[in-house]
Amino acid sequence: AVQSILKNNLFGLELDLRAAQLSQFALVLKAAQFSRTVLLGGLLPQIYAMPQQRIFSRDEVITFLGTENMRYADQLYKSLQTMEQAYNLGSIMVLQLSGEARKAVESRYDYWKQQPASSLEEVIVKEVFPAYIPILLILTSQFQCIAANPPYMGKKSMNGKLNQYVAKHYQKGKSDLFAVFMEVCHRLSSKG
């Protein structure tokens, strides 16, 4: 049960890599209190740090998706364009993937974990996409419970790109990131 909870029920996002690593460590230690076998399995909690800026090409997106999923290339490409600012925006990013596109992305992500790379493009897919796809999947999911420690940052303290993004996507809470996170939590919460 403990391993199942770590693998299937707990997800986390952090801006800072060190904070993500410390969170993983704390959860593994807590899990070990209930089941020492957790320490033997090499299973890490699904906590991810926001990746640094990277610009993706359409060819990389198509290589990742494969020809059978090309109809989802525009949705994934737009989401990855938004994620160019992941380190600045964090979990307030609004990523639009249809249910079918999300399933295709998740399936291809699992495929690439097992698939050996046979070209430079495939090496890029295997090495770069794993920093982005899990975050994209989390931010396009629905959850029964969300716990957050939102930043308290007023509009005047936001950098230009953050301020513009918040004004465009979070009309109700745009004056403070705390209020923005309330909207994010509402958007990511399952109905009912």
Side-chain angles (χ1 to χ4, degrees):
V2 172
Q3 290 182 354
S4 180
I5 289 169
L6 285 180
K7 184 179 179 185
N8 302 312
N9 297 99
L10 294 176
F11 304 91
L13 299 175
E14 291 282 350
L15 279 179
D16 182 65
L17 176 60
R18 191 164 301 184
Q21 291 168 336
L22 287 171
S23 297
Q24 285 179 328
F25 180 67
L27 279 174
V28 167
L29 287 180
K30 190 63 166 172
Q33 289 178 342
F34 299 99
S35 172
R36 296 209 185 269
T37 59
V38 168
L39 299 173
L40 304 174
L43 178 66
L44 288 176
Q46 295 192 61
I47 299 175
Y48 303 96
M50 292 297 168
Q52 295 294 327
Q53 183 175 10
R54 182 175 193 296
I55 298 171
F56 288 88
S57 71
R58 284 191 64 76
D59 289 340
E60 290 169 338
V61 170
I62 290 168
T63 300
F64 173 81
L65 287 173
T67 53
E68 67 276 9
N69 294 306
M70 284 202 29
R71 63 187 172 277
Y72 307 121
D74 287 340
Q75 291 180 56
L76 179 57
Y77 185 64
K78 279 183 107 172
S79 293
L80 291 172
Q81 282 181 315
T82 300
M83 291 185 78
E84 289 173 16
Q85 287 293 314
Y87 195 74
N88 185 34
L89 300 175
S91 54
I92 70 168
M93 290 181 292
V94 178
L95 305 173
Q96 301 293 330
L97 282 182
S98 68
E100 290 177 356
R102 191 181 180 290
K103 285 179 187 173
V105 168
E106 189 170 19
S107 174
R108 289 299 288 183
Y109 179 61
D110 291 339
Y111 166 83
W112 282 110
K113 287 184 202 175
Q114 311 300 322
Q115 185 69 17
S118 61
S119 68
L120 179 59
E121 293 82 14
E122 291 180 0
V123 169
I124 290 171
V125 164
K126 284 188 69 69
E127 292 182 6
V128 175
F129 277 69
Y132 294 83
I133 298 301
I135 295 167
L136 182 144
L137 292 173
I138 289 171
L139 290 176
T140 56
S141 294
Q142 297 284 291
F143 299 95
Q144 292 178 345
C145 179
I146 299 173
N149 184 12
Y152 293 87
M153 180 187 291
K155 186 176 183 174
K156 291 180 182 178
S157 299
M158 295 179 197
N159 65 47
K161 289 186 178 183
L162 177 59
N163 196 353
Q164 289 174 350
Y165 193 85
V166 165
K168 180 177 178 182
H169 294 281
Y170 297 98
Q171 287 296 308
K172 293 178 185 174
K174 65 184 176 184
S175 62
D176 195 292
L177 277 183
F178 176 83
V180 168
F181 269 83
M182 296 303 101
E183 289 188 57
V184 170
C185 289
H186 186 264
R187 177 174 45 85
L188 296 178
S189 296
S190 300
K191 303 297 181 223

